[in-house]
Amino acid sequence: MPTAYDVIVYCRDQYDQKAGGDRMREKVLSLQDDADTAIFEACATMGVPMLEMPPHLTVAERVRWTLERMGDMGMTAV
């Protein structure tokens, strides 16, 4: 995997799961924190650089934050 990815952008934000759209999601809400930890640890063990996005950004702020980090790494968005 390390040769397939330049970087992993990891976002820990959790959204209001009762906002609608998926009536089955409420059944697994208690797993969200454990799943987040397991996914983060699995990504970290791959040796791919990880960028942890700050929580609670707007969509525009997420895009700006990601593009700035990519630029710092010498990568460009197309």
Short mmCIF file of all heavy atoms in Angstrom, two decimals:
data_model
loop_
_atom_site.label_atom_id
_atom_site.label_comp_id
_atom_site.label_asym_id
_atom_site.label_seq_id
_atom_site.Cartn_x
_atom_site.Cartn_y
_atom_site.Cartn_z
N MET A 1 0.80 -1.21 0.00
CA MET A 1 0.00 0.00 0.00
C MET A 1 0.84 1.27 0.00
O MET A 1 0.47 2.22 -0.66
CB MET A 1 -0.95 -0.02 1.18
CG MET A 1 -1.85 1.18 1.24
SD MET A 1 -3.12 0.93 2.46
CE MET A 1 -3.58 2.59 2.75
N PRO A 2 1.96 1.36 0.70
CA PRO A 2 2.69 2.64 0.73
C PRO A 2 3.08 3.17 -0.64
O PRO A 2 3.21 4.36 -0.81
CB PRO A 2 3.92 2.31 1.57
CG PRO A 2 3.48 1.22 2.47
CD PRO A 2 2.52 0.40 1.63
N THR A 3 3.24 2.32 -1.62
CA THR A 3 3.61 2.82 -2.93
C THR A 3 2.39 3.29 -3.73
O THR A 3 2.54 3.92 -4.76
CB THR A 3 4.36 1.74 -3.74
OG1 THR A 3 3.51 0.59 -3.85
CG2 THR A 3 5.65 1.36 -3.05
N ALA A 4 1.19 3.00 -3.24
CA ALA A 4 -0.01 3.36 -3.98
C ALA A 4 -0.55 4.74 -3.61
O ALA A 4 -1.30 5.33 -4.36
CB ALA A 4 -1.10 2.32 -3.76
N TYR A 5 -0.18 5.25 -2.45
CA TYR A 5 -0.72 6.51 -1.97
C TYR A 5 0.41 7.46 -1.56
O TYR A 5 1.38 7.05 -0.95
CB TYR A 5 -1.64 6.29 -0.76
CG TYR A 5 -2.84 5.44 -1.07
CD1 TYR A 5 -2.83 4.08 -0.83
CD2 TYR A 5 -3.97 6.01 -1.62
CE1 TYR A 5 -3.93 3.30 -1.13
CE2 TYR A 5 -5.08 5.24 -1.92
CZ TYR A 5 -5.05 3.88 -1.67
OH TYR A 5 -6.14 3.11 -1.97
N ASP A 6 0.24 8.74 -1.86
CA ASP A 6 1.20 9.75 -1.43
C ASP A 6 0.92 10.19 0.00
O ASP A 6 1.83 10.48 0.76
CB ASP A 6 1.14 10.98 -2.35
CG ASP A 6 1.60 10.65 -3.75
OD1 ASP A 6 2.66 10.00 -3.89
OD2 ASP A 6 0.91 11.03 -4.70
N VAL A 7 -0.35 10.25 0.35
CA VAL A 7 -0.75 10.72 1.68
C VAL A 7 -2.20 10.30 1.94
O VAL A 7 -2.98 10.13 1.01
CB VAL A 7 -0.59 12.26 1.79
CG1 VAL A 7 -1.56 12.99 0.90
CG2 VAL A 7 -0.69 12.73 3.22
N ILE A 8 -2.51 10.12 3.22
CA ILE A 8 -3.89 9.88 3.63
C ILE A 8 -4.35 11.12 4.38
O ILE A 8 -3.70 11.56 5.32
CB ILE A 8 -4.00 8.65 4.55
CG1 ILE A 8 -3.60 7.38 3.79
CG2 ILE A 8 -5.41 8.53 5.14
CD1 ILE A 8 -3.48 6.15 4.67
N VAL A 9 -5.47 11.69 3.96
CA VAL A 9 -6.07 12.80 4.68
C VAL A 9 -7.16 12.19 5.55
O VAL A 9 -8.12 11.61 5.03
CB VAL A 9 -6.66 13.86 3.73
CG1 VAL A 9 -7.35 14.96 4.52
CG2 VAL A 9 -5.56 14.44 2.84
N TYR A 10 -6.99 12.30 6.86
CA TYR A 10 -7.91 11.65 7.79
C TYR A 10 -8.75 12.68 8.51
O TYR A 10 -8.24 13.61 9.11
CB TYR A 10 -7.12 10.81 8.80
CG TYR A 10 -7.99 9.82 9.52
CD1 TYR A 10 -8.31 8.60 8.94
CD2 TYR A 10 -8.53 10.11 10.76
CE1 TYR A 10 -9.14 7.70 9.57
CE2 TYR A 10 -9.36 9.22 11.40
CZ TYR A 10 -9.65 8.01 10.80
OH TYR A 10 -10.48 7.12 11.43
N CYS A 11 -10.05 12.49 8.46
CA CYS A 11 -11.00 13.41 9.09
C CYS A 11 -11.76 12.67 10.18
O CYS A 11 -12.44 11.69 9.90
CB CYS A 11 -11.96 13.95 8.03
SG CYS A 11 -13.22 15.03 8.71
N ARG A 12 -11.64 13.15 11.41
CA ARG A 12 -12.30 12.49 12.54
C ARG A 12 -13.68 13.07 12.86
O ARG A 12 -14.32 12.65 13.80
CB ARG A 12 -11.44 12.63 13.79
CG ARG A 12 -10.17 11.83 13.73
CD ARG A 12 -9.45 11.91 15.06
NE ARG A 12 -8.21 11.18 15.04
CZ ARG A 12 -8.09 9.89 15.37
NH1 ARG A 12 -9.13 9.22 15.77
NH2 ARG A 12 -6.92 9.30 15.31
N ASP A 13 -14.15 14.03 12.09
CA ASP A 13 -15.45 14.64 12.38
C ASP A 13 -16.54 13.58 12.46
O ASP A 13 -16.55 12.62 11.70
CB ASP A 13 -15.84 15.64 11.30
CG ASP A 13 -15.26 17.02 11.55
OD1 ASP A 13 -14.77 17.27 12.66
OD2 ASP A 13 -15.30 17.84 10.63
N GLN A 14 -17.44 13.79 13.38
CA GLN A 14 -18.62 12.95 13.49
C GLN A 14 -19.83 13.84 13.28
O GLN A 14 -19.90 14.93 13.81
CB GLN A 14 -18.67 12.28 14.86
CG GLN A 14 -17.52 11.32 15.06
CD GLN A 14 -17.59 10.61 16.39
OE1 GLN A 14 -18.52 10.76 17.16
NE2 GLN A 14 -16.59 9.82 16.67
N TYR A 15 -20.75 13.35 12.50
CA TYR A 15 -21.91 14.14 12.13
C TYR A 15 -23.15 13.66 12.86
O TYR A 15 -23.22 12.53 13.33
CB TYR A 15 -22.12 14.06 10.61
CG TYR A 15 -20.93 14.55 9.86
CD1 TYR A 15 -19.96 13.67 9.40
CD2 TYR A 15 -20.73 15.91 9.67
CE1 TYR A 15 -18.84 14.13 8.74
CE2 TYR A 15 -19.61 16.37 9.01
CZ TYR A 15 -18.67 15.48 8.54
OH TYR A 15 -17.56 15.94 7.90
N ASP A 16 -24.13 14.52 12.95
CA ASP A 16 -25.39 14.18 13.58
C ASP A 16 -26.03 13.04 12.80
O ASP A 16 -26.50 13.22 11.68
CB ASP A 16 -26.31 15.40 13.60
CG ASP A 16 -27.66 15.10 14.22
OD1 ASP A 16 -27.83 14.02 14.83
OD2 ASP A 16 -28.55 15.96 14.13
N GLN A 17 -26.02 11.88 13.39
CA GLN A 17 -26.51 10.70 12.69
C GLN A 17 -28.03 10.62 12.67
O GLN A 17 -28.60 9.78 11.99
CB GLN A 17 -25.93 9.44 13.34
CG GLN A 17 -24.42 9.39 13.29
CD GLN A 17 -23.88 9.44 11.88
OE1 GLN A 17 -24.45 8.89 10.96
NE2 GLN A 17 -22.76 10.10 11.70
N LYS A 18 -28.68 11.48 13.42
CA LYS A 18 -30.13 11.47 13.43
C LYS A 18 -30.70 12.51 12.46
O LYS A 18 -31.88 12.81 12.49
CB LYS A 18 -30.64 11.72 14.85
CG LYS A 18 -30.26 10.61 15.79
CD LYS A 18 -30.82 10.81 17.17
CE LYS A 18 -30.38 9.64 18.04
NZ LYS A 18 -31.02 9.64 19.33
N ALA A 19 -29.84 13.02 11.60
CA ALA A 19 -30.27 14.05 10.65
C ALA A 19 -31.11 13.47 9.52
O ALA A 19 -31.65 14.20 8.71
CB ALA A 19 -29.05 14.77 10.08
N GLY A 20 -31.21 12.18 9.45
CA GLY A 20 -32.03 11.56 8.41
C GLY A 20 -31.18 10.96 7.31
O GLY A 20 -29.97 11.12 7.27
N GLY A 21 -31.84 10.24 6.44
CA GLY A 21 -31.17 9.67 5.29
C GLY A 21 -30.83 8.20 5.43
O GLY A 21 -30.74 7.50 4.45
N ASP A 22 -30.64 7.71 6.66
CA ASP A 22 -30.28 6.30 6.84
C ASP A 22 -30.85 5.82 8.17
O ASP A 22 -30.26 5.98 9.22
CB ASP A 22 -28.76 6.14 6.82
CG ASP A 22 -28.33 4.68 6.85
OD1 ASP A 22 -29.19 3.80 7.09
OD2 ASP A 22 -27.14 4.43 6.66
N ARG A 23 -32.01 5.23 8.11
CA ARG A 23 -32.69 4.82 9.34
C ARG A 23 -31.99 3.66 10.04
O ARG A 23 -32.24 3.41 11.22
CB ARG A 23 -34.16 4.48 9.06
CG ARG A 23 -34.35 3.33 8.11
CD ARG A 23 -35.84 3.13 7.80
NE ARG A 23 -36.03 2.06 6.86
CZ ARG A 23 -36.16 0.79 7.20
NH1 ARG A 23 -36.12 0.44 8.45
NH2 ARG A 23 -36.31 -0.13 6.27
N MET A 24 -31.11 2.94 9.37
CA MET A 24 -30.39 1.81 9.97
C MET A 24 -29.14 2.26 10.73
O MET A 24 -28.63 1.54 11.58
CB MET A 24 -30.00 0.80 8.89
CG MET A 24 -31.18 0.27 8.10
SD MET A 24 -32.46 -0.48 9.12
CE MET A 24 -31.71 -2.04 9.46
N ARG A 25 -28.65 3.44 10.45
CA ARG A 25 -27.40 3.92 11.03
C ARG A 25 -27.46 4.01 12.56
O ARG A 25 -26.49 3.74 13.24
CB ARG A 25 -27.03 5.27 10.45
CG ARG A 25 -25.67 5.74 10.90
CD ARG A 25 -25.28 6.96 10.16
NE ARG A 25 -25.32 6.65 8.74
CZ ARG A 25 -24.72 7.34 7.81
NH1 ARG A 25 -24.02 8.40 8.13
NH2 ARG A 25 -24.80 7.03 6.55
N GLU A 26 -28.61 4.37 13.08
CA GLU A 26 -28.75 4.54 14.53
C GLU A 26 -28.41 3.25 15.28
O GLU A 26 -27.94 3.29 16.41
CB GLU A 26 -30.16 5.00 14.88
CG GLU A 26 -30.28 5.47 16.31
CD GLU A 26 -31.59 6.19 16.59
OE1 GLU A 26 -32.18 6.73 15.65
OE2 GLU A 26 -31.98 6.18 17.75
N LYS A 27 -28.59 2.11 14.64
CA LYS A 27 -28.31 0.83 15.29
C LYS A 27 -26.83 0.61 15.56
O LYS A 27 -26.46 -0.20 16.40
CB LYS A 27 -28.84 -0.32 14.43
CG LYS A 27 -30.34 -0.33 14.31
CD LYS A 27 -30.80 -1.49 13.46
CE LYS A 27 -32.32 -1.51 13.37
NZ LYS A 27 -32.80 -2.68 12.64
N VAL A 28 -25.96 1.33 14.85
CA VAL A 28 -24.52 1.11 15.01
C VAL A 28 -23.77 2.34 15.52
O VAL A 28 -22.55 2.39 15.50
CB VAL A 28 -23.88 0.61 13.69
CG1 VAL A 28 -24.43 -0.74 13.30
CG2 VAL A 28 -24.08 1.62 12.58
N LEU A 29 -24.51 3.34 16.00
CA LEU A 29 -23.86 4.57 16.48
C LEU A 29 -22.86 4.29 17.59
O LEU A 29 -21.84 4.96 17.69
CB LEU A 29 -24.90 5.57 16.96
CG LEU A 29 -25.70 6.27 15.87
CD1 LEU A 29 -26.70 7.24 16.49
CD2 LEU A 29 -24.80 7.00 14.91
N SER A 30 -23.13 3.31 18.41
CA SER A 30 -22.23 3.01 19.53
C SER A 30 -20.87 2.50 19.05
O SER A 30 -19.91 2.48 19.82
CB SER A 30 -22.87 1.98 20.46
OG SER A 30 -23.08 0.76 19.76
N LEU A 31 -20.76 2.11 17.81
CA LEU A 31 -19.50 1.59 17.26
C LEU A 31 -18.63 2.67 16.64
O LEU A 31 -17.48 2.41 16.26
CB LEU A 31 -19.80 0.53 16.19
CG LEU A 31 -20.66 -0.65 16.61
CD1 LEU A 31 -20.97 -1.52 15.41
CD2 LEU A 31 -19.97 -1.44 17.70
N GLN A 32 -19.14 3.88 16.53
CA GLN A 32 -18.44 4.93 15.78
C GLN A 32 -17.05 5.23 16.33
O GLN A 32 -16.09 5.31 15.57
CB GLN A 32 -19.29 6.19 15.74
CG GLN A 32 -18.78 7.22 14.76
CD GLN A 32 -19.81 8.28 14.46
OE1 GLN A 32 -20.97 8.14 14.78
NE2 GLN A 32 -19.38 9.34 13.83
N ASP A 33 -16.91 5.42 17.64
CA ASP A 33 -15.60 5.75 18.21
C ASP A 33 -14.60 4.60 18.03
O ASP A 33 -13.44 4.82 17.66
CB ASP A 33 -15.72 6.12 19.68
CG ASP A 33 -16.41 7.46 19.89
OD1 ASP A 33 -16.30 8.33 19.00
OD2 ASP A 33 -17.04 7.63 20.94
N ASP A 34 -15.05 3.37 18.29
CA ASP A 34 -14.16 2.21 18.13
C ASP A 34 -13.76 2.03 16.67
O ASP A 34 -12.61 1.71 16.36
CB ASP A 34 -14.82 0.94 18.65
CG ASP A 34 -14.95 0.92 20.17
OD1 ASP A 34 -14.22 1.68 20.84
OD2 ASP A 34 -15.79 0.16 20.68
N ALA A 35 -14.71 2.24 15.77
CA ALA A 35 -14.41 2.13 14.34
C ALA A 35 -13.41 3.19 13.91
O ALA A 35 -12.47 2.90 13.16
CB ALA A 35 -15.69 2.23 13.51
N ASP A 36 -13.57 4.41 14.40
CA ASP A 36 -12.64 5.49 14.07
C ASP A 36 -11.22 5.13 14.51
O ASP A 36 -10.27 5.26 13.76
CB ASP A 36 -13.07 6.79 14.72
CG ASP A 36 -12.06 7.90 14.52
OD1 ASP A 36 -11.83 8.29 13.36
OD2 ASP A 36 -11.47 8.35 15.52
N THR A 37 -11.09 4.64 15.73
CA THR A 37 -9.78 4.26 16.26
C THR A 37 -9.16 3.15 15.42
O THR A 37 -7.98 3.21 15.05
CB THR A 37 -9.90 3.83 17.73
OG1 THR A 37 -10.39 4.93 18.49
CG2 THR A 37 -8.56 3.38 18.29
N ALA A 38 -9.93 2.13 15.11
CA ALA A 38 -9.42 0.99 14.34
C ALA A 38 -9.00 1.41 12.94
O ALA A 38 -7.95 0.99 12.44
CB ALA A 38 -10.48 -0.11 14.27
N ILE A 39 -9.80 2.24 12.29
CA ILE A 39 -9.47 2.68 10.92
C ILE A 39 -8.22 3.55 10.94
O ILE A 39 -7.32 3.38 10.12
CB ILE A 39 -10.65 3.43 10.29
CG1 ILE A 39 -11.81 2.46 10.06
CG2 ILE A 39 -10.25 4.12 8.99
CD1 ILE A 39 -13.13 3.12 9.75
N PHE A 40 -8.12 4.47 11.90
CA PHE A 40 -6.95 5.33 11.99
C PHE A 40 -5.69 4.48 12.23
O PHE A 40 -4.67 4.68 11.56
CB PHE A 40 -7.10 6.35 13.12
CG PHE A 40 -5.92 7.25 13.25
CD1 PHE A 40 -5.81 8.38 12.44
CD2 PHE A 40 -4.90 6.98 14.15
CE1 PHE A 40 -4.71 9.21 12.53
CE2 PHE A 40 -3.80 7.81 14.25
CZ PHE A 40 -3.70 8.92 13.44
N GLU A 41 -5.76 3.54 13.15
CA GLU A 41 -4.60 2.69 13.44
C GLU A 41 -4.21 1.84 12.24
O GLU A 41 -3.02 1.66 11.96
CB GLU A 41 -4.88 1.82 14.66
CG GLU A 41 -4.90 2.62 15.95
CD GLU A 41 -5.29 1.80 17.17
OE1 GLU A 41 -5.59 0.60 17.03
OE2 GLU A 41 -5.31 2.39 18.28
N ALA A 42 -5.18 1.33 11.51
CA ALA A 42 -4.88 0.53 10.31
C ALA A 42 -4.18 1.39 9.26
O ALA A 42 -3.20 0.95 8.64
CB ALA A 42 -6.17 -0.06 9.75
N CYS A 43 -4.65 2.60 9.07
CA CYS A 43 -4.01 3.50 8.11
C CYS A 43 -2.60 3.86 8.56
O CYS A 43 -1.66 3.87 7.76
CB CYS A 43 -4.83 4.78 7.94
SG CYS A 43 -6.40 4.56 7.08
N ALA A 44 -2.43 4.13 9.84
CA ALA A 44 -1.13 4.53 10.38
C ALA A 44 -0.09 3.42 10.24
O ALA A 44 1.09 3.70 10.01
CB ALA A 44 -1.27 4.95 11.83
N THR A 45 -0.50 2.18 10.34
CA THR A 45 0.46 1.07 10.25
C THR A 45 0.96 0.84 8.83
O THR A 45 1.94 0.13 8.64
CB THR A 45 -0.14 -0.25 10.78
OG1 THR A 45 -1.26 -0.61 9.98
CG2 THR A 45 -0.55 -0.12 12.23
N MET A 46 0.33 1.44 7.84
CA MET A 46 0.73 1.26 6.45
C MET A 46 2.00 2.03 6.10
O MET A 46 2.62 1.77 5.07
CB MET A 46 -0.40 1.68 5.51
CG MET A 46 -1.62 0.83 5.59
SD MET A 46 -1.28 -0.83 4.99
CE MET A 46 -1.62 -1.79 6.45
N GLY A 47 2.38 2.98 6.93
CA GLY A 47 3.58 3.75 6.64
C GLY A 47 3.37 4.90 5.67
O GLY A 47 4.33 5.56 5.27
N VAL A 48 2.15 5.13 5.27
CA VAL A 48 1.84 6.24 4.38
C VAL A 48 1.72 7.51 5.24
O VAL A 48 1.12 7.47 6.31
CB VAL A 48 0.51 6.00 3.63
CG1 VAL A 48 0.16 7.17 2.74
CG2 VAL A 48 0.59 4.72 2.82
N PRO A 49 2.29 8.63 4.82
CA PRO A 49 2.13 9.86 5.60
C PRO A 49 0.64 10.17 5.81
O PRO A 49 -0.17 10.00 4.91
CB PRO A 49 2.78 10.94 4.73
CG PRO A 49 3.71 10.20 3.82
CD PRO A 49 3.08 8.85 3.60
N MET A 50 0.33 10.60 7.03
CA MET A 50 -1.06 10.92 7.35
C MET A 50 -1.18 12.37 7.76
O MET A 50 -0.37 12.87 8.54
CB MET A 50 -1.58 10.02 8.47
CG MET A 50 -1.73 8.59 8.01
SD MET A 50 -2.53 7.54 9.22
CE MET A 50 -4.11 8.31 9.41
N LEU A 51 -2.19 13.02 7.21
CA LEU A 51 -2.53 14.38 7.59
C LEU A 51 -3.86 14.31 8.33
O LEU A 51 -4.86 13.85 7.77
CB LEU A 51 -2.68 15.27 6.35
CG LEU A 51 -1.45 15.39 5.45
CD1 LEU A 51 -1.82 16.19 4.20
CD2 LEU A 51 -0.32 16.04 6.20
N GLU A 52 -3.87 14.74 9.58
CA GLU A 52 -5.11 14.73 10.35
C GLU A 52 -5.80 16.08 10.23
O GLU A 52 -5.31 17.08 10.74
CB GLU A 52 -4.82 14.42 11.81
CG GLU A 52 -4.40 12.99 12.04
CD GLU A 52 -4.34 12.65 13.51
OE1 GLU A 52 -5.40 12.62 14.16
OE2 GLU A 52 -3.22 12.43 14.00
N MET A 53 -6.90 16.08 9.52
CA MET A 53 -7.64 17.31 9.31
C MET A 53 -8.25 17.79 10.63
O MET A 53 -8.82 16.99 11.38
CB MET A 53 -8.76 17.06 8.30
CG MET A 53 -9.56 18.29 7.94
SD MET A 53 -10.83 17.91 6.71
CE MET A 53 -9.82 17.61 5.27
N PRO A 54 -8.14 19.07 10.92
CA PRO A 54 -8.78 19.58 12.14
C PRO A 54 -10.30 19.40 12.06
O PRO A 54 -10.88 19.51 10.98
CB PRO A 54 -8.43 21.08 12.13
CG PRO A 54 -7.29 21.22 11.20
CD PRO A 54 -7.41 20.11 10.20
N PRO A 55 -10.93 19.11 13.17
CA PRO A 55 -12.38 18.91 13.14
C PRO A 55 -13.15 20.23 13.00
O PRO A 55 -12.60 21.30 13.22
CB PRO A 55 -12.68 18.26 14.50
CG PRO A 55 -11.56 18.69 15.38
CD PRO A 55 -10.36 18.86 14.49
N HIS A 56 -14.38 20.10 12.61
CA HIS A 56 -15.36 21.19 12.58
C HIS A 56 -15.08 22.26 11.52
O HIS A 56 -15.49 23.41 11.69
CB HIS A 56 -15.51 21.84 13.96
CG HIS A 56 -15.66 20.86 15.07
ND1 HIS A 56 -16.73 20.00 15.16
CD2 HIS A 56 -14.86 20.57 16.12
CE1 HIS A 56 -16.58 19.24 16.23
NE2 HIS A 56 -15.46 19.55 16.82
N LEU A 57 -14.41 21.90 10.43
CA LEU A 57 -14.20 22.85 9.34
C LEU A 57 -15.41 22.83 8.41
O LEU A 57 -16.07 21.80 8.26
CB LEU A 57 -12.94 22.50 8.54
CG LEU A 57 -11.62 22.48 9.29
CD1 LEU A 57 -10.50 22.05 8.34
CD2 LEU A 57 -11.31 23.82 9.90
N THR A 58 -15.66 23.93 7.75
CA THR A 58 -16.67 23.94 6.70
C THR A 58 -16.11 23.21 5.49
O THR A 58 -14.90 22.91 5.43
CB THR A 58 -17.03 25.38 6.29
OG1 THR A 58 -15.87 25.97 5.68
CG2 THR A 58 -17.50 26.22 7.47
N VAL A 59 -16.95 22.95 4.51
CA VAL A 59 -16.46 22.28 3.30
C VAL A 59 -15.38 23.13 2.63
O VAL A 59 -14.33 22.61 2.23
CB VAL A 59 -17.62 21.99 2.32
CG1 VAL A 59 -17.09 21.47 0.99
CG2 VAL A 59 -18.59 21.00 2.93
N ALA A 60 -15.60 24.43 2.51
CA ALA A 60 -14.60 25.31 1.88
C ALA A 60 -13.29 25.28 2.67
O ALA A 60 -12.20 25.25 2.08
CB ALA A 60 -15.14 26.74 1.79
N GLU A 61 -13.38 25.29 3.99
CA GLU A 61 -12.17 25.24 4.82
C GLU A 61 -11.45 23.91 4.67
O GLU A 61 -10.21 23.86 4.66
CB GLU A 61 -12.52 25.47 6.29
CG GLU A 61 -12.97 26.89 6.59
CD GLU A 61 -13.58 27.04 7.97
OE1 GLU A 61 -14.10 26.05 8.55
OE2 GLU A 61 -13.55 28.18 8.49
N ARG A 62 -12.19 22.82 4.51
CA ARG A 62 -11.57 21.50 4.29
C ARG A 62 -10.80 21.48 2.98
O ARG A 62 -9.69 20.96 2.92
CB ARG A 62 -12.64 20.41 4.27
CG ARG A 62 -13.23 20.12 5.59
CD ARG A 62 -14.42 19.20 5.42
NE ARG A 62 -15.12 19.10 6.67
CZ ARG A 62 -15.40 17.96 7.27
NH1 ARG A 62 -15.06 16.83 6.72
NH2 ARG A 62 -16.02 17.96 8.41
N VAL A 63 -11.42 22.00 1.94
CA VAL A 63 -10.75 22.04 0.64
C VAL A 63 -9.49 22.89 0.73
O VAL A 63 -8.41 22.47 0.30
CB VAL A 63 -11.70 22.57 -0.45
CG1 VAL A 63 -10.95 22.83 -1.75
CG2 VAL A 63 -12.86 21.61 -0.66
N ARG A 64 -9.59 24.07 1.32
CA ARG A 64 -8.43 24.96 1.46
C ARG A 64 -7.33 24.29 2.28
O ARG A 64 -6.16 24.30 1.90
CB ARG A 64 -8.86 26.28 2.12
CG ARG A 64 -7.79 27.34 2.12
CD ARG A 64 -8.28 28.68 2.71
NE ARG A 64 -9.61 29.07 2.25
CZ ARG A 64 -10.70 29.09 3.03
NH1 ARG A 64 -10.63 28.77 4.29
NH2 ARG A 64 -11.86 29.46 2.53
N TRP A 65 -7.69 23.69 3.39
CA TRP A 65 -6.72 23.03 4.27
C TRP A 65 -5.99 21.91 3.52
O TRP A 65 -4.78 21.79 3.58
CB TRP A 65 -7.45 22.46 5.51
CG TRP A 65 -6.55 21.85 6.53
CD1 TRP A 65 -5.99 22.48 7.59
CD2 TRP A 65 -6.11 20.49 6.57
NE1 TRP A 65 -5.22 21.58 8.31
CE2 TRP A 65 -5.28 20.36 7.70
CE3 TRP A 65 -6.33 19.37 5.78
CZ2 TRP A 65 -4.68 19.15 8.06
CZ3 TRP A 65 -5.72 18.17 6.12
CH2 TRP A 65 -4.91 18.08 7.24
N THR A 66 -6.75 21.10 2.80
CA THR A 66 -6.17 19.98 2.06
C THR A 66 -5.24 20.47 0.95
O THR A 66 -4.12 19.97 0.79
CB THR A 66 -7.28 19.08 1.48
OG1 THR A 66 -8.11 18.61 2.55
CG2 THR A 66 -6.70 17.90 0.73
N LEU A 67 -5.69 21.46 0.18
CA LEU A 67 -4.87 21.98 -0.91
C LEU A 67 -3.57 22.61 -0.39
O LEU A 67 -2.51 22.46 -1.01
CB LEU A 67 -5.65 22.98 -1.75
CG LEU A 67 -6.78 22.39 -2.59
CD1 LEU A 67 -7.56 23.51 -3.27
CD2 LEU A 67 -6.25 21.38 -3.59
N GLU A 68 -3.65 23.30 0.75
CA GLU A 68 -2.43 23.88 1.33
C GLU A 68 -1.44 22.79 1.72
O GLU A 68 -0.24 22.92 1.45
CB GLU A 68 -2.79 24.72 2.56
CG GLU A 68 -3.47 26.03 2.23
CD GLU A 68 -3.99 26.77 3.46
OE1 GLU A 68 -3.81 26.27 4.59
OE2 GLU A 68 -4.59 27.85 3.28
N ARG A 69 -1.91 21.72 2.33
CA ARG A 69 -1.00 20.63 2.72
C ARG A 69 -0.42 19.93 1.51
O ARG A 69 0.74 19.57 1.48
CB ARG A 69 -1.72 19.62 3.61
CG ARG A 69 -1.66 19.86 5.10
CD ARG A 69 -2.21 20.99 5.52
NE ARG A 69 -2.15 21.72 6.74
CZ ARG A 69 -2.77 22.87 6.82
NH1 ARG A 69 -3.45 23.37 5.81
NH2 ARG A 69 -2.73 23.57 7.93
N MET A 70 -1.24 19.74 0.48
CA MET A 70 -0.75 19.12 -0.74
C MET A 70 0.34 19.99 -1.37
O MET A 70 1.36 19.48 -1.83
CB MET A 70 -1.89 18.88 -1.73
CG MET A 70 -2.84 17.79 -1.29
SD MET A 70 -4.26 17.64 -2.41
CE MET A 70 -3.46 17.18 -3.93
N GLY A 71 0.12 21.30 -1.37
CA GLY A 71 1.12 22.22 -1.89
C GLY A 71 2.41 22.15 -1.11
O GLY A 71 3.51 22.16 -1.68
N ASP A 72 2.30 22.06 0.23
CA ASP A 72 3.48 21.93 1.07
C ASP A 72 4.28 20.67 0.74
O ASP A 72 5.49 20.63 0.94
CB ASP A 72 3.10 21.90 2.55
CG ASP A 72 2.53 23.22 3.06
OD1 ASP A 72 2.69 24.25 2.34
OD2 ASP A 72 1.93 23.21 4.15
N MET A 73 3.58 19.64 0.25
CA MET A 73 4.24 18.38 -0.09
C MET A 73 4.72 18.35 -1.53
O MET A 73 5.23 17.34 -2.01
CB MET A 73 3.28 17.21 0.16
CG MET A 73 2.88 17.07 1.62
SD MET A 73 1.68 15.76 1.87
CE MET A 73 2.72 14.33 1.61
N GLY A 74 4.51 19.46 -2.26
CA GLY A 74 4.94 19.52 -3.65
C GLY A 74 3.96 18.89 -4.61
O GLY A 74 4.28 18.65 -5.78
N MET A 75 2.74 18.62 -4.15
CA MET A 75 1.72 18.02 -5.01
C MET A 75 0.77 19.12 -5.45
O MET A 75 0.59 20.12 -4.75
CB MET A 75 0.97 16.93 -4.26
CG MET A 75 1.87 15.82 -3.78
SD MET A 75 1.09 14.38 -2.99
CE MET A 75 -0.19 15.02 -1.99
N THR A 76 0.16 18.93 -6.58
CA THR A 76 -0.82 19.90 -7.07
C THR A 76 -2.13 19.21 -7.35
O THR A 76 -2.15 18.03 -7.70
CB THR A 76 -0.33 20.61 -8.35
OG1 THR A 76 -0.09 19.61 -9.35
CG2 THR A 76 0.95 21.39 -8.09
N ALA A 77 -3.20 19.94 -7.21
CA ALA A 77 -4.52 19.41 -7.54
C ALA A 77 -4.85 19.79 -8.96
O ALA A 77 -4.57 20.89 -9.41
CB ALA A 77 -5.56 19.98 -6.58
N VAL A 78 -5.46 18.89 -9.66
CA VAL A 78 -5.84 19.12 -11.05
C VAL A 78 -7.33 19.25 -11.14
O VAL A 78 -8.09 18.61 -10.49
CB VAL A 78 -5.35 17.97 -11.96
CG1 VAL A 78 -5.75 18.21 -13.38
CG2 VAL A 78 -3.86 17.81 -11.82
#
